[in-house]
Amino acid sequence: MNYEFILVDEQAQPHIALIRLNRPKELNALNLQLMLELKSALQSLDQNDAVRCIIITGNEQAFAAGADIKQMESRTPVDLIKIDQFETWDQIRKTSKPVIAAVSGFALGGGCELAMLCDMIVASESAKFGQPEIKIGIMPGAGGTQRLTRAVGKALAMEMVLTGKFISAQEAHAAGLINRVVPDELYLDEAFKLAKEVAAMSPISIRLAKESVLKAFETGLQEGLFFERKNFYLTFTSEDQKEGMKAFIEKRKPDFKGV
Ligand code: CAA
């Protein structure tokens, strides 16, 4: 399928798909169409059994500099309610396969929120994260006050949201927002390395484990533990469970088939 604002390589590496946000002149500002394309691409990759892990990236200058301010500027509250753009974000969050954000340059506003919707974030040394919406008279609307706070804690989240200050990749790493920081030229390779590790596991266990970790952000401990236990039991319905344990006992690498 051809998209206008994203590029999709379904098998960039075996079992790994790559989505590139592709509005370089606008620093990958996330207009409505781009987000709909992203949702559609993720839904299609989620249905593709050959894909086990998905990487979303931008370019060296920008992962994404936020929602498209020029498109939003003249919106009325009624427009916003009718368009309900964040419904698209909710759908993106529902991707069942692991999604890794490979971030270089700016990840701001909606760009930072999109990275936080992903399951893991790999960044280049020059990446910058921020929620600068306050500087343009609004506030984060796609999870910035919630996911950022859960990831980095109240003190830093409050400062970022109330002053719009950017943090470096190193600061983001120290605060627990991102998984890895690597030299600029290596961030995409590093994302592929991580994706390869994930893609080597049982896709069924990966799906259930991802669901369970996300549950920790959305529910209390007892309910989360109960959910985890059910998903743990469910992993035993798969042939991959037999293969994984057999391979361990036979001292060989497992060959997971996703069944
Ligand atoms: N929306 C629309 N266009 C944007 C954009 C955005 N979020 N960010 C950058 N652009 C455009 C600029 O308008 C400019 O276009 P022109 O060449 O046509 O003027 C082009 O991209 C390059 O940008 P700059 O010239 O500004 O580049 P810079 O290197 O001087 O600055 C920057 C880079 C600091 C990222 C600056 O562009 C900036 O502050 N961008 C806006 C960041 C922001 O406020 N993001 C939050 C948006 S609101 C939001 O995301 C709401 C939400 O929660 C979903």
Side-chain angles (χ1 to χ4, degrees), residues 49-70:
D49 281 345
V51 174
R52 294 187 179 184
C53 190
I54 301 162
I55 298 173
I56 301 179
T57 195
N59 53 53
E60 282 64 28
Q61 249 196 314
F63 177 71
D68 190 322
I69 299 168
K70 291 167 191 165

Side-chain angles (χ1 to χ4, degrees), residues 38-49 51-54 56 89-100 117-120 198-199 201-214 227 231 258:
L38 185 57
K39 176 180 86 169
S40 154
L42 286 167
Q43 284 175 338
S44 149
L45 294 171
D46 226 14
Q47 296 302 317
N48 181 344
D49 281 345
V51 174
R52 294 187 179 184
C53 190
I54 301 162
I56 301 179
W89 300 67
D90 291 344
Q91 292 300 323
I92 289 174
R93 142 81 183 78
K94 288 186 182 142
T95 308
S96 70
K97 290 178 184 165
V99 183
I100 297 172
L117 270 187
C118 297
D119 303 307
M120 291 183 275
V198 172
M201 307 299 165
S202 156
I204 296 183
S205 306
I206 287 281
R207 180 183 176 142
L208 295 170
K210 166 174 168 164
E211 234 178 55
S212 303
V213 174
L214 287 177
F227 187 86
N231 273 358

Side-chain angles (χ1 to χ4, degrees), residues 23-31 61-62 64-72 85-86 89 106-113 128 130-136 138-144 166:
R23 290 186 81 200
K25 282 198 204 115
E26 293 82 6
L27 301 180
N28 289 334
L30 305 167
N31 64 17
Q61 249 196 314
D68 190 322
I69 299 168
K70 291 167 191 165
Q71 195 177 49
M72 271 187 305
Q85 62 171 315
F86 298 129
W89 300 67
F106 298 110
L108 305 177
C112 187
E113 290 166 317
K128 289 183 180 57
Q131 297 291 159
E133 290 90 340
I134 206 78
K135 293 184 179 170
I136 53 168
I138 57 170
M139 61 170 276
F166 300 166

